Amino acid sequence: MRTLFFVIFFSGLFIHTQAQQPPKPNAVEIHQAIKKLNFLGSVLYVAAHPDDENTRLISYVANQIKARTAYLSLTRGDGGQNLIGPEIRELLGVIRTQELLTARKIDGGEQLFTRANDFGYSKHPEETLAIWDKKEVLSDVVWAIRKFQPDVIINRFNHRTPGTTHGHHTSSAMLSVEAFDLVNDKKSYPEQLKYLKTWQPKRLFFNTSWWFYGSRENFEKADKSNLLEFDTGVYYPDTGLSNPEIASLSRSQHKSQGFGSTGSRGKQTEYIELIKGELPTDKTNIFEGIDTSWNRVKGGQDIGKILYQVEKDFDFQNPSKSVNKLVKAYQLINQLENKHWKDVKLKEIKHIISACAGLYIEAIANEATATYDNEITITTEAINRSTSAIQLQSISIPSLKLSDSQSINLENNIRNTRELKGKITSDLRYTSPYWLKEKGTLGMYKVSERQLIGTPETEHQIKATFSLNIEGTTIPFEKNIAFKTNDPVKGEVYKPFEIIPKVSVKLADKVIIFADGAPKKVAVTITAATNNVSGTTQLQIPEGWSVAPTKADFALSQKGEEKVIPFTITPPANQHEGYIKPIATISGKKYTSEVISINYDHIPYQTVIAPSETKVVRLDIQKKGQNIGYIEGAGDIVPESLAQIGYKVTTIHPESISESNLKAFDAIVVGIRAYNTVEVLKFKQQHLLKYVENGGNLIIQYNTNRRLKVTDNLGPYPLKLSRDRVTDENAPIKFLAKDHPVLNTPNKITPKDFEGWVQERGLYFPNEWSDQYIPIIAANDKNESEKKGALLVSKYGKGYYVYTGLSFFREFPAGVSGAYRLFANMLSLGK
């Protein structure tokens, strides 16, 4: 545990999230931060998604070169899969945002975004930029460059090869190249100049490797005269880790993508190709010709004289000896005319002064959440663990209009605590990711506040400002209000303090399927965020549906108390779909939002406040068979979806698979990517195939063609997976086997059943198979060949084997009627 903790502060310059324990840096970490304080140069790394970034190079630039380094991810990764839980789309984007921030804390970078929404796989930048709205995303890239002011930009992908990789990837590079020539032009996005100045980076590179050349042999033969190279395998004695080991710790934070990485040691060469700007003569120095010393800024020479001496004379046994000189440097930085470097370096030096003085300050609320009109108590702590002269002059919480102006000298190692009490007022906003507050489009999030665009997360409104006089100079320190508790297992646990609505209204399911005309019970869960709330609740329903009762009363006496109120919904006679929305009314005010918590150990606790609604679908569907066994894969809600249409679904634990215990099932379904993630399946596949041979029905959903646990006998006959996919969710479907039972029994499947699909048709289709498999449908993206491997069916012995790359795991949560009907036919084979 200590090793990771150590690396985080060495690499991350004490940057931490509001929901984790505050940093407590040691002397080595402080000295590294001072070195970085004395480097005035910046690098911006650009790519499309979380996990696209090269953490080896980011860590090298941040920790070896000491440059200010940021990763601009154009999206938040909303379109990916989630290997750790059920969250998809926007909620997955929240998780992956925090995974990126956690990764940056480890490798030493900062994190930026645009408003682009990861709408799923795209094969060409032409499609990507049309859905994203190129003008607006380019605006965000220009904004990020003008704001961060990088000297050097490095693209992860090649802008010259559209159509050869993910369209988002190529688009990120194309936009970066275009932005390089726009950021210093006052005519380009002039509305930004109200907040920022134009800027011109010195160089733009492409982070190339042998992979982009097709093979290592091709790369060895390639002309490298336009390339710079770095040995990023450097070893840091201060940490006991190599740069690749730090990079692997960073990359391993992308847990929702299953990107755990093993650290390595030894020489590792990274290459960057010059795209724009002047090629350095020293091909190991990306900053050649750029003054990265304090002489770079007017008035910086005197600052440099002080800080270089601080770095040289630093006392590892007593860091507080540097406080006096650091405070003098702080005064001079505060007088700089260059606002950009003034803001950057003030933030850095304040952390260093605090660390050298052994200063610990925090502000803790007595509750994790509160709502409007709630009284809260905030306990502050301030302690000076050095001999430096520090006076606590005041503590204020401006958003709550609270202040304590009692002045006190902070004596060495004497703890000072205070209590401030205030009320949450209605002018404060609920706590939720800012990019989810307004409805966007398929390709873009809507963010109305210009200054928020690109920021990684919502800044907390409630902060405590500690005004400290250190060695004769007043320095303000801001702290987010947090909540702290003791967990019997984890010990000290921090959470952000958050403002939430008076009640949360929640429906248990996001989609409710009515397989026939029978009514269903629907439960509305109301959760109180404060004591003594009462009111009425009702369901808003689509035309043609009915609900009883029309309204119900509720009363909750304790904060956190829940009440489940049942309603009965009756669907119309014919196939129809719409949305139901719960509404709670308290003293005339309507509450329609659900408070969603996201809680994983590797990222800070997250709260999302989202409109509460559920799609209701009256299906025209028939089915055969009843008992379904489900082998879980990498996370989906297919089992719950099948239960919705009347199947009895039993989870099968892979370790327990045997011929005898499979006999009870009418069909067995294997979850997405199970053959990539469930090791034991390579020993159990023989039993699954025997189940088919004896008359069973086995349905295998998509797997990637890499890291397969089962290769030789994925199916009863030869079958080879590929990277074939159809990303256009509206791509026309061609029926190849019109008379096959899977298209006719018990539901007649027509092109209408493929209307309303979301994100894609499917992915990782087989592209080679033996004649025993029957391809059922074909589809293709624009200007591509027909893909026939989306749904393959084979008779084997007495039973049926089905392999499908169709994205049922996306269609079921979206309530796509045709997807349910087709899957019911797959389950009915042989019945």
Side-chain angles (χ1 to χ4, degrees), residues 168-392:
H168 295 185
H169 292 170
T170 311
S171 295
S172 70
M174 292 169 65
L175 292 169
S176 175
V177 170
E178 189 170 348
F180 187 89
D181 293 328
L182 297 177
V183 290
N184 202 31
D185 182 357
K186 291 184 178 181
K187 296 178 182 178
S188 295
Y189 301 105
E191 69 280 1
Q192 296 181 4
L193 301 182
K194 178 181 176 182
Y195 309 95
L196 303 171
K197 294 182 178 179
T198 58
W199 177 254
Q200 185 56 60
K202 185 82 168 178
R203 300 181 179 98
L204 172 67
F205 294 97
F206 157 45
N207 184 195
T208 190
S209 70
W210 68 265
W211 188 89
F212 292 97
Y213 287 75
S215 70
R216 294 183 187 274
E217 278 188 353
N218 290 343
F219 186 60
E220 289 299 322
K221 298 174 186 175
D223 177 14
K224 297 185 179 63
S225 59
N226 206 35
L227 270 60
L228 276 65
E229 63 180 81
F230 311 93
D231 176 12
T232 60
V234 294
Y235 171 66
Y236 301 117
D238 288 341
T239 68
L241 295 174
S242 68
N243 187 71
E245 286 174 309
I246 294 174
S248 72
L249 288 170
S250 171
R251 188 155 186 79
S252 294
Q253 302 313 304
H254 296 301
K255 298 184 189 300
S256 64
Q257 286 295 95
F259 277 177
S261 176
T262 301
S264 62
R265 290 142 295 280
K267 183 175 181 179
Q268 290 191 6
T269 305
E270 287 287 339
Y271 296 90
I272 56 175
E273 176 188 357
L274 184 72
I275 302 299
K276 286 182 177 287
E278 184 178 331
L279 184 71
T281 54
D282 177 359
K283 291 194 174 183
T284 64
N285 183 9
I286 60 174
F287 285 100
E288 184 181 85
I290 302 168
D291 189 349
T292 58
S293 73
W294 276 102
N295 293 332
R296 176 173 191 161
V297 293
K298 182 182 177 182
Q301 188 174 16
D302 290 339
I303 299 169
K305 286 179 182 177
I306 296 170
L307 291 179
Y308 296 132
Q309 198 64 42
V310 168
E311 180 182 332
K312 180 181 176 183
D313 297 339
F314 185 75
D315 188 337
F316 288 83
Q317 298 300 314
N318 186 7
S320 66
K321 287 183 178 179
S322 299
V323 169
N324 193 273
K325 287 182 179 178
L326 286 166
V327 169
K328 289 178 181 177
Y330 169 86
Q331 294 171 335
L332 295 175
I333 294 172
N334 216 11
Q335 296 169 16
L336 287 176
E337 295 177 13
N338 186 311
K339 186 178 185 306
H340 172 74
W341 284 114
K342 174 183 174 179
D343 292 345
V344 169
K345 294 304 178 181
L346 276 178
K347 185 177 180 181
E348 290 182 18
I349 199 169
K350 282 168 66 173
H351 285 303
I352 294 168
I353 291 170
S354 174
C356 284
L359 185 64
Y360 183 89
I361 51 177
E362 69 175 14
I364 303 297
N366 61 326
E367 303 262 10
T369 62
T371 190
Y372 298 148
D373 297 327
N374 279 174
E375 295 275 355
I376 63 167
T377 300
I378 296 169
T379 303
T380 66
E381 177 182 341
I383 183 168
N384 167 22
R385 292 169 291 185
S386 73
T387 56
S388 299
I390 301 178
Q391 183 184 62
L392 175 59

Side-chain angles (χ1 to χ4, degrees), residues 436-454:
L436 299 179
K437 290 188 176 181
E438 299 181 76
K439 189 173 180 61
T441 64
L442 173 64
M444 291 287 290
Y445 284 117
K446 184 178 179 182
V447 180
S448 298
E449 294 182 52
R450 159 57 66 182
Q451 296 277 44
L452 287 178
I453 292 175

Side-chain angles (χ1 to χ4, degrees), residues 6-146:
F6 185 86
V7 173
I8 286 173
F9 294 120
F10 162 61
S11 303
L13 282 177
F14 320 145
I15 297 169
H16 61 97
T17 62
Q18 65 273 7
Q20 294 176 316
Q21 292 187 3
K24 300 160 188 173
N26 63 39
V28 172
E29 296 157 358
I30 297 169
H31 191 240
Q32 294 296 333
I34 294 170
K35 288 181 179 180
K36 199 158 188 173
L37 182 65
N38 281 329
F39 192 96
L40 278 69
S42 302
V43 173
L44 182 66
Y45 197 89
V46 180
H49 311 104
D51 71 43
D52 283 345
E53 78 274 28
N54 183 341
T55 54
R56 292 185 303 275
L57 192 53
I58 289 175
S59 178
Y60 177 84
V61 174
N63 298 316
Q64 179 68 12
I65 299 178
K66 309 297 184 196
R68 185 181 182 222
T69 311
Y71 172 41
L72 173 61
S73 176
L74 267 60
T75 76
R76 295 177 185 268
D78 321 69
Q81 284 87 52
N82 185 0
L83 300 189
I84 60 173
E87 298 89 355
I88 58 173
R89 292 302 307 150
E90 289 83 1
L91 295 183
L92 177 58
V94 173
I95 291 172
R96 299 192 72 194
T97 293
Q98 292 300 321
E99 288 180 336
L100 274 175
L101 287 167
T102 304
R104 295 294 79 77
K105 285 195 308 165
I106 292 172
D107 61 36
E110 299 176 38
Q111 187 60 52
L112 304 172
F113 293 96
T114 74
R115 290 169 292 166
N117 192 341
D118 178 6
F119 57 83
Y121 194 88
S122 172
K123 292 182 177 178
H124 200 280
E126 182 180 319
E127 176 197 35
T128 299
L129 295 173
I131 294 175
W132 274 354
D133 186 342
K134 178 188 172 183
K135 180 183 176 183
E136 291 303 310
V137 181
L138 179 59
S139 164
D140 289 1
V141 176
V142 169
W143 172 266
I145 295 171
R146 285 173 172 172

Side-chain angles (χ1 to χ4, degrees), residues 495-793:
K495 284 185 178 181
F497 172 75
E498 298 181 315
I499 303 171
I500 60 176
K502 191 167 286 188
V503 291
S504 167
V505 288
K506 174 185 175 182
L507 291 161
D509 300 300
K510 293 304 176 188
V511 174
I512 301 175
I513 305 296
F514 292 78
D516 52 38
K520 281 192 175 186
K521 293 281 188 184
V522 175
V524 176
T525 300
I526 300 181
T527 306
T530 187
N531 295 332
N532 301 317
V533 290
S534 61
T536 61
T537 185
Q538 63 192 91
L539 278 179
Q540 179 181 310
I541 59 171
E543 188 176 349
W545 297 65
S546 63
V547 60
T550 56
K551 192 177 290 187
D553 295 330
F554 68 87
L556 302 166
S557 59
Q558 298 292 322
K559 178 177 181 176
E561 184 181 350
E562 291 186 348
K563 184 167 186 179
V564 178
I565 301 176
F567 291 87
T568 300
I569 294 183
T570 303
N574 300 317
Q575 186 158 312
H576 188 265
E577 58 186 53
Y579 288 89
I580 59 173
K581 301 178 182 181
I583 302 170
T585 304
I586 302 171
S587 302
K589 181 175 174 58
K590 296 184 184 301
Y591 295 85
T592 59
S593 294
E594 175 186 357
V595 178
I596 303 166
S597 298
I598 300 175
N599 191 11
Y600 292 100
D601 285 344
H602 69 297
I603 59 173
Y605 187 92
Q606 298 294 298
T607 296
V608 179
I609 299 168
S612 183
E613 64 178 17
T614 288
K615 187 175 184 180
V616 287
V617 180
R618 166 65 167 99
L619 267 184
D620 176 14
I621 189 170
Q622 302 294 322
K623 62 186 191 303
K624 295 180 180 179
Q626 178 65 23
N627 296 318
I628 308 300
Y630 199 89
I631 300 170
E632 292 182 345
D636 59 62
I637 64 165
V638 171
E640 295 88 337
S641 301
L642 297 179
Q644 287 251 20
I645 55 175
Y647 288 105
K648 179 183 177 183
V649 184
T650 302
T651 299
I652 300 174
H653 298 289
E655 295 80 4
S656 69
I657 292 173
S658 67
E659 283 185 43
S660 60
N661 66 11
L662 298 181
K663 291 178 181 178
F665 298 109
D666 296 314
I668 294 171
V669 181
V670 183
I672 61 172
R673 293 175 70 170
Y675 289 94
N676 298 125
T677 59
V678 183
E679 189 77 28
V680 73
L681 280 181
K682 65 184 177 184
F683 306 113
K684 299 296 184 177
Q685 182 70 353
Q686 57 180 324
H687 299 308
L688 291 170
L689 295 180
K690 190 66 176 177
Y691 161 79
V692 178
E693 188 178 8
N694 290 336
N697 182 6
L698 177 65
I699 299 170
I700 297 178
Q701 298 177 87
Y702 100 93
N703 292 270
T704 66
N705 58 351
R706 295 178 60 198
R707 300 178 183 173
L708 275 170
K709 311 296 183 185
V710 177
T711 53
D712 295 336
N713 62 339
L714 183 61
Y717 308 109
L719 176 84
K720 184 177 180 181
L721 302 185
S722 72
R723 297 183 67 84
D724 286 353
R725 62 201 300 163
V726 177
T727 63
D728 182 356
E729 61 269 34
N730 299 309
I733 298 293
K734 179 180 178 181
F735 292 168
L736 301 175
K738 294 181 181 180
D739 297 327
H740 195 281
V742 80
L743 292 179
N744 293 280
T745 304
N747 304 290
K748 179 66 175 177
I749 303 301
T750 71
K752 186 174 177 61
D753 288 298
F754 288 92
E755 294 177 3
W757 283 50
V758 299
Q759 191 159 326
E760 62 198 354
R761 289 298 191 194
L763 62 171
Y764 289 98
F765 301 155
N767 65 348
E768 295 180 23
W769 53 84
S770 71
D771 293 340
Q772 286 91 344
Y773 294 100
I774 300 173
I776 304 299
I777 62 173
N780 59 274
D781 285 318
K782 184 180 177 182
N783 299 325
E784 288 200 358
S785 62
E786 211 169 51
K787 305 296 186 292
K788 299 180 179 181
L791 179 57
L792 302 176
V793 181

